[in-house]
Amino acid sequence: MKNFRISGLVDDKYRIKINLLAISPDHAIKVFKQKYPKADDIYVIQNLFKKS
């Protein structure tokens, strides 16, 4: 499992960013939707420039 940073707009007011453990980015978005069913504009924030 990998750690994904997910961002979503909840109730058209609040931008929530949380870390989730998931198998894939699609799975992480599904888990976010289950946790916040009224969320819109959900996407994965990737650390493209982070050194390993």
Side-chain angles (χ1 to χ4, degrees):
M1 296 187 82
K2 296 180 182 179
N3 193 14
F4 293 99
R5 183 125 172 119
I6 307 293
S7 178
L9 189 64
V10 179
D11 294 332
D12 295 329
K13 295 180 184 178
Y14 306 106
R15 172 68 59 187
I16 295 177
K17 296 177 184 175
I18 62 171
N19 292 322
L20 292 174
L21 287 175
I23 298 169
S24 67
D26 292 331
H27 183 251
I29 290 172
K30 288 179 184 177
V31 171
F32 188 90
K33 285 182 181 179
Q34 287 177 351
K35 193 169 186 175
Y36 302 102
K38 294 184 179 180
D40 291 325
D41 192 27
I42 302 168
Y43 56 89
V44 177
I45 301 171
Q46 294 180 345
N47 295 328
L48 296 175
F49 302 108
K50 184 178 178 182
K51 292 183 180 180
S52 300

Coordinates of all heavy atoms in Angstrom, one line a residue:
M1 N 0.8 -1.2 0.0 CA 0.0 0.0 0.0 C 0.9 1.2 0.0 O 2.0 1.2 0.6 CB -0.9 0.0 1.2 CG -1.9 -1.2 1.2 SD -3.1 -1.1 2.5 CE -4.3 0.0 1.8
K2 N 0.4 2.3 -0.6 CA 1.1 3.5 -0.7 C 0.3 4.7 0.0 O -0.9 4.6 0.1 CB 1.3 3.9 -2.2 CG 2.2 2.9 -2.9 CD 2.3 3.4 -4.4 CE 3.1 2.4 -5.2 NZ 3.3 2.8 -6.6
N3 N 1.1 5.7 0.3 CA 0.5 6.9 0.9 C 0.2 7.9 -0.2 O 1.1 8.3 -0.9 CB 1.5 7.4 1.9 CG 0.8 8.4 2.8 OD1 -0.4 8.5 2.9 ND2 1.6 9.2 3.6
F4 N -1.1 8.3 -0.2 CA -1.5 9.3 -1.2 C -2.1 10.5 -0.5 O -2.8 10.4 0.5 CB -2.6 8.8 -2.2 CG -2.1 7.7 -3.0 CD1 -2.3 6.3 -2.7 CD2 -1.4 8.0 -4.2 CE1 -1.9 5.3 -3.5 CE2 -1.0 6.9 -5.0 CZ -1.2 5.6 -4.7
R5 N -1.8 11.7 -1.0 CA -2.3 13.0 -0.5 C -3.5 13.3 -1.4 O -3.3 13.5 -2.6 CB -1.3 14.1 -0.5 CG -1.8 15.4 0.0 CD -0.8 15.8 1.1 NE -1.2 17.1 1.6 CZ -1.6 17.4 2.8 NH1 -1.6 16.4 3.7 NH2 -1.9 18.6 3.2
I6 N -4.7 13.4 -0.8 CA -5.9 13.6 -1.6 C -6.5 15.0 -1.2 O -6.5 15.3 0.0 CB -7.0 12.5 -1.3 CG1 -6.4 11.2 -1.5 CG2 -8.2 12.7 -2.1 CD1 -6.1 10.9 -3.0
S7 N -6.9 15.7 -2.2 CA -7.6 17.0 -1.9 C -9.0 17.0 -2.5 O -9.2 16.5 -3.6 CB -6.8 18.1 -2.6 OG -7.4 19.4 -2.4
G8 N -9.9 17.6 -1.7 CA -11.3 17.6 -2.2 C -12.0 18.8 -1.6 O -11.7 19.3 -0.5
L9 N -13.0 19.4 -2.4 CA -13.8 20.5 -1.9 C -15.1 19.9 -1.3 O -15.9 19.3 -2.0 CB -14.1 21.4 -3.1 CG -14.8 22.7 -2.9 CD1 -13.8 23.6 -2.1 CD2 -15.1 23.4 -4.2
V10 N -15.2 20.2 0.0 CA -16.4 19.7 0.8 C -17.4 20.8 1.0 O -17.0 21.9 1.5 CB -15.9 19.0 2.1 CG1 -17.1 18.5 2.9 CG2 -14.9 17.9 1.8
D11 N -18.6 20.5 0.7 CA -19.7 21.5 0.9 C -19.5 22.8 0.2 O -20.0 23.9 0.6 CB -20.0 21.8 2.4 CG -20.5 20.5 3.1 OD1 -21.1 19.7 2.5 OD2 -20.2 20.4 4.3
D12 N -18.7 22.8 -0.9 CA -18.5 24.0 -1.7 C -17.8 25.1 -0.9 O -17.9 26.3 -1.3 CB -19.7 24.5 -2.4 CG -20.2 23.6 -3.4 OD1 -19.4 22.8 -4.0 OD2 -21.5 23.5 -3.6
K13 N -17.2 24.8 0.3 CA -16.6 25.8 1.1 C -15.2 25.5 1.6 O -14.4 26.4 1.6 CB -17.5 26.0 2.4 CG -18.8 26.6 2.2 CD -19.6 26.7 3.5 CE -21.0 27.1 3.4 NZ -21.7 27.2 4.6
Y14 N -15.0 24.2 1.9 CA -13.8 23.9 2.5 C -12.9 22.9 1.6 O -13.4 21.9 1.2 CB -14.0 23.1 3.9 CG -14.9 23.9 4.8 CD1 -16.2 23.6 5.0 CD2 -14.4 25.0 5.5 CE1 -17.1 24.3 5.8 CE2 -15.2 25.8 6.3 CZ -16.5 25.4 6.5 OH -17.3 26.1 7.3
R15 N -11.7 23.3 1.5 CA -10.7 22.4 0.8 C -10.0 21.6 1.8 O -9.3 22.1 2.7 CB -9.7 23.3 0.0 CG -8.6 22.6 -0.6 CD -8.9 21.7 -1.8 NE -9.6 22.4 -2.9 CZ -10.1 21.7 -3.9 NH1 -10.0 20.4 -4.0 NH2 -10.7 22.4 -4.9
I16 N -10.2 20.3 1.7 CA -9.6 19.3 2.7 C -8.5 18.6 2.0 O -8.7 18.1 0.9 CB -10.7 18.4 3.2 CG1 -11.7 19.1 4.0 CG2 -10.0 17.3 4.1 CD1 -12.8 18.3 4.6
K17 N -7.4 18.5 2.7 CA -6.2 17.7 2.1 C -5.9 16.7 3.2 O -5.6 17.1 4.3 CB -5.1 18.6 1.8 CG -5.3 19.6 0.7 CD -4.1 20.5 0.5 CE -4.5 21.5 -0.5 NZ -3.4 22.5 -0.7
I18 N -6.0 15.4 2.9 CA -5.6 14.3 3.8 C -4.7 13.3 3.2 O -4.7 13.2 2.0 CB -6.9 13.7 4.4 CG1 -7.7 13.0 3.3 CG2 -7.7 14.6 5.2 CD1 -8.8 12.1 3.9
N19 N -4.0 12.6 4.0 CA -3.2 11.5 3.6 C -3.9 10.2 3.8 O -4.5 9.9 4.8 CB -1.9 11.4 4.3 CG -1.0 12.6 4.0 OD1 -0.9 13.0 2.9 ND2 -0.3 13.1 5.0
L20 N -4.0 9.3 2.7 CA -4.7 8.0 2.8 C -3.7 6.9 2.3 O -3.0 7.1 1.4 CB -5.9 8.1 1.9 CG -7.0 8.9 2.3 CD1 -8.1 8.9 1.2 CD2 -7.7 8.5 3.5
L21 N -3.9 5.8 2.9 CA -3.2 4.6 2.5 C -4.1 3.9 1.5 O -5.3 3.6 1.9 CB -2.8 3.7 3.6 CG -1.7 4.1 4.5 CD1 -1.5 3.2 5.7 CD2 -0.4 4.2 3.7
A22 N -3.6 3.6 0.3 CA -4.4 2.9 -0.7 C -3.5 2.2 -1.7 O -2.3 2.3 -1.7 CB -5.3 3.9 -1.4
I23 N -4.2 1.3 -2.5 CA -3.4 0.5 -3.4 C -3.1 1.3 -4.7 O -2.0 1.2 -5.2 CB -4.3 -0.7 -3.8 CG1 -4.6 -1.6 -2.6 CG2 -3.6 -1.5 -4.9 CD1 -5.6 -2.6 -2.8
S24 N -4.0 2.2 -5.1 CA -3.7 3.0 -6.3 C -4.4 4.4 -6.1 O -5.2 4.6 -5.2 CB -4.4 2.3 -7.5 OG -5.8 2.3 -7.4
P25 N -4.1 5.3 -7.0 CA -4.7 6.7 -6.9 C -6.2 6.6 -7.0 O -7.0 7.3 -6.3 CB -4.1 7.4 -8.0 CG -2.8 6.8 -8.3 CD -3.0 5.3 -8.0
D26 N -6.7 5.7 -7.9 CA -8.2 5.5 -8.0 C -8.8 5.0 -6.8 O -9.9 5.5 -6.4 CB -8.5 4.6 -9.2 CG -8.1 5.2 -10.5 OD1 -8.2 6.4 -10.7 OD2 -7.9 4.4 -11.4
H27 N -8.2 4.1 -6.1 CA -8.7 3.5 -4.9 C -8.7 4.6 -3.8 O -9.6 4.7 -3.0 CB -7.8 2.3 -4.4 CG -8.3 1.7 -3.2 ND1 -7.6 1.7 -2.0 CD2 -9.4 0.9 -2.9 CE1 -8.3 1.1 -1.1 NE2 -9.4 0.6 -1.6
A28 N -7.6 5.4 -3.7 CA -7.6 6.5 -2.7 C -8.7 7.5 -2.9 O -9.3 8.0 -2.0 CB -6.2 7.2 -2.9
I29 N -9.1 7.8 -4.2 CA -10.2 8.7 -4.4 C -11.5 8.1 -4.0 O -12.4 8.8 -3.4 CB -10.2 9.1 -5.9 CG1 -9.0 10.0 -6.2 CG2 -11.5 9.8 -6.3 CD1 -8.8 10.4 -7.7
K30 N -11.7 6.8 -4.2 CA -12.9 6.1 -3.8 C -13.0 6.1 -2.3 O -14.1 6.3 -1.7 CB -12.9 4.7 -4.3 CG -13.1 4.6 -5.8 CD -13.1 3.1 -6.2 CE -13.2 3.0 -7.8 NZ -13.2 1.7 -8.2
V31 N -11.9 5.9 -1.6 CA -11.9 6.0 -0.1 C -12.3 7.4 0.4 O -13.1 7.6 1.3 CB -10.6 5.5 0.5 CG1 -10.5 5.8 2.0 CG2 -10.3 4.1 0.2
F32 N -11.7 8.4 -0.3 CA -12.1 9.8 0.1 C -13.6 10.1 -0.2 O -14.2 10.7 0.7 CB -11.2 10.8 -0.8 CG -11.3 12.2 -0.4 CD1 -10.5 12.7 0.6 CD2 -12.3 13.0 -0.9 CE1 -10.6 14.1 1.0 CE2 -12.4 14.3 -0.5 CZ -11.6 14.9 0.4
K33 N -14.1 9.6 -1.2 CA -15.5 9.8 -1.5 C -16.4 9.1 -0.5 O -17.5 9.5 -0.2 CB -15.9 9.2 -2.9 CG -15.4 10.2 -4.0 CD -15.9 9.6 -5.4 CE -15.4 10.5 -6.5 NZ -15.8 10.0 -7.8
Q34 N -16.0 7.9 0.0 CA -16.7 7.2 1.0 C -16.7 8.0 2.4 O -17.7 8.1 3.1 CB -16.2 5.8 1.3 CG -16.5 4.9 0.2 CD -15.8 3.5 0.4 OE1 -15.0 3.3 1.3 NE2 -16.2 2.5 -0.4
K35 N -15.5 8.6 2.6 CA -15.4 9.4 3.9 C -16.1 10.7 3.8 O -16.7 11.2 4.8 CB -13.9 9.6 4.1 CG -13.6 10.1 5.5 CD -12.1 10.0 5.7 CE -11.8 10.4 7.2 NZ -10.4 10.3 7.5
Y36 N -16.1 11.4 2.6 CA -16.8 12.7 2.4 C -17.7 12.5 1.2 O -17.3 12.9 0.1 CB -15.8 13.8 2.2 CG -14.8 13.9 3.3 CD1 -13.5 13.4 3.3 CD2 -15.2 14.6 4.5 CE1 -12.6 13.6 4.3 CE2 -14.3 14.7 5.6 CZ -13.0 14.3 5.4 OH -12.1 14.4 6.5
P37 N -18.9 12.0 1.4 CA -19.8 11.8 0.2 C -20.2 13.1 -0.5 O -20.6 13.0 -1.7 CB -21.0 11.1 0.8 CG -20.9 11.2 2.3 CD -19.5 11.6 2.6
K38 N -20.2 14.2 0.1 CA -20.6 15.5 -0.6 C -19.4 16.2 -1.2 O -19.6 17.4 -1.6 CB -21.3 16.4 0.4 CG -22.6 15.8 0.9 CD -23.3 16.8 1.8 CE -24.7 16.2 2.3 NZ -25.4 17.2 3.1
A39 N -18.3 15.6 -1.3 CA -17.1 16.2 -1.8 C -17.1 16.3 -3.4 O -17.6 15.4 -4.0 CB -15.8 15.5 -1.4
D40 N -16.6 17.4 -3.9 CA -16.4 17.6 -5.3 C -14.9 18.0 -5.6 O -14.2 18.3 -4.7 CB -17.3 18.8 -5.8 CG -18.8 18.4 -5.7 OD1 -19.1 17.3 -6.0 OD2 -19.5 19.4 -5.4
D41 N -14.6 18.0 -6.8 CA -13.2 18.4 -7.3 C -12.2 17.6 -6.5 O -11.3 18.2 -5.9 CB -13.1 19.9 -7.1 CG -11.9 20.5 -7.8 OD1 -11.4 19.9 -8.8 OD2 -11.3 21.5 -7.3
I42 N -12.2 16.3 -6.6 CA -11.3 15.5 -5.8 C -10.1 15.1 -6.8 O -10.3 14.7 -7.9 CB -12.0 14.2 -5.3 CG1 -13.2 14.6 -4.5 CG2 -11.0 13.3 -4.6 CD1 -14.1 13.4 -4.2
Y43 N -8.9 15.2 -6.2 CA -7.7 14.9 -7.0 C -6.6 14.4 -6.1 O -6.6 14.7 -4.9 CB -7.3 16.0 -8.0 CG -7.0 17.3 -7.3 CD1 -5.7 17.6 -6.8 CD2 -8.0 18.3 -7.1 CE1 -5.5 18.8 -6.2 CE2 -7.8 19.5 -6.6 CZ -6.5 19.7 -6.1 OH -6.2 20.9 -5.5
V44 N -5.6 13.8 -6.7 CA -4.4 13.3 -6.0 C -3.3 14.3 -6.2 O -3.0 14.7 -7.3 CB -4.0 11.9 -6.5 CG1 -2.7 11.4 -5.8 CG2 -5.1 10.9 -6.3
I45 N -2.7 14.7 -5.0 CA -1.5 15.5 -5.1 C -0.3 14.6 -5.0 O -0.1 13.9 -4.1 CB -1.5 16.5 -3.9 CG1 -2.8 17.4 -3.9 CG2 -0.3 17.4 -3.9 CD1 -2.9 18.2 -2.7
Q46 N 0.5 14.7 -6.1 CA 1.7 13.8 -6.2 C 2.9 14.6 -5.8 O 3.0 15.8 -6.2 CB 1.8 13.2 -7.6 CG 0.8 12.3 -7.9 CD 1.0 11.7 -9.3 OE1 1.8 12.2 -10.1 NE2 0.3 10.7 -9.7
N47 N 3.8 14.0 -5.1 CA 5.1 14.7 -4.8 C 6.1 14.4 -6.0 O 7.0 13.5 -5.9 CB 5.7 14.1 -3.5 CG 4.8 14.5 -2.3 OD1 4.1 15.5 -2.4 ND2 4.7 13.6 -1.4
L48 N 5.9 15.1 -7.1 CA 6.7 14.8 -8.2 C 8.2 15.2 -8.1 O 9.1 14.7 -8.7 CB 6.2 15.6 -9.4 CG 4.8 15.2 -9.9 CD1 4.3 16.1 -11.0 CD2 4.8 13.7 -10.3
F49 N 8.4 16.2 -7.2 CA 9.8 16.8 -7.1 C 10.4 16.4 -5.8 O 11.5 16.9 -5.4 CB 9.8 18.3 -7.2 CG 9.2 18.7 -8.5 CD1 7.9 19.3 -8.6 CD2 9.9 18.6 -9.7 CE1 7.4 19.7 -9.8 CE2 9.3 18.9 -10.9 CZ 8.1 19.5 -10.9
K50 N 9.8 15.4 -5.0 CA 10.4 15.0 -3.8 C 11.5 14.0 -4.0 O 11.4 13.0 -4.8 CB 9.3 14.3 -3.0 CG 9.7 13.9 -1.6 CD 8.5 13.3 -0.8 CE 9.0 12.8 0.5 NZ 7.9 12.1 1.2
K51 N 12.6 14.2 -3.4 CA 13.8 13.2 -3.5 C 13.5 12.0 -2.6 O 13.1 12.1 -1.5 CB 15.1 13.9 -3.1 CG 15.5 15.0 -4.0 CD 16.8 15.6 -3.6 CE 17.2 16.7 -4.5 NZ 18.5 17.3 -4.2
S52 N 13.9 10.9 -3.2 CA 13.7 9.6 -2.4 C 14.8 9.3 -1.6 O 15.9 9.5 -1.9 CB 13.5 8.5 -3.4 OG 12.4 8.7 -4.2

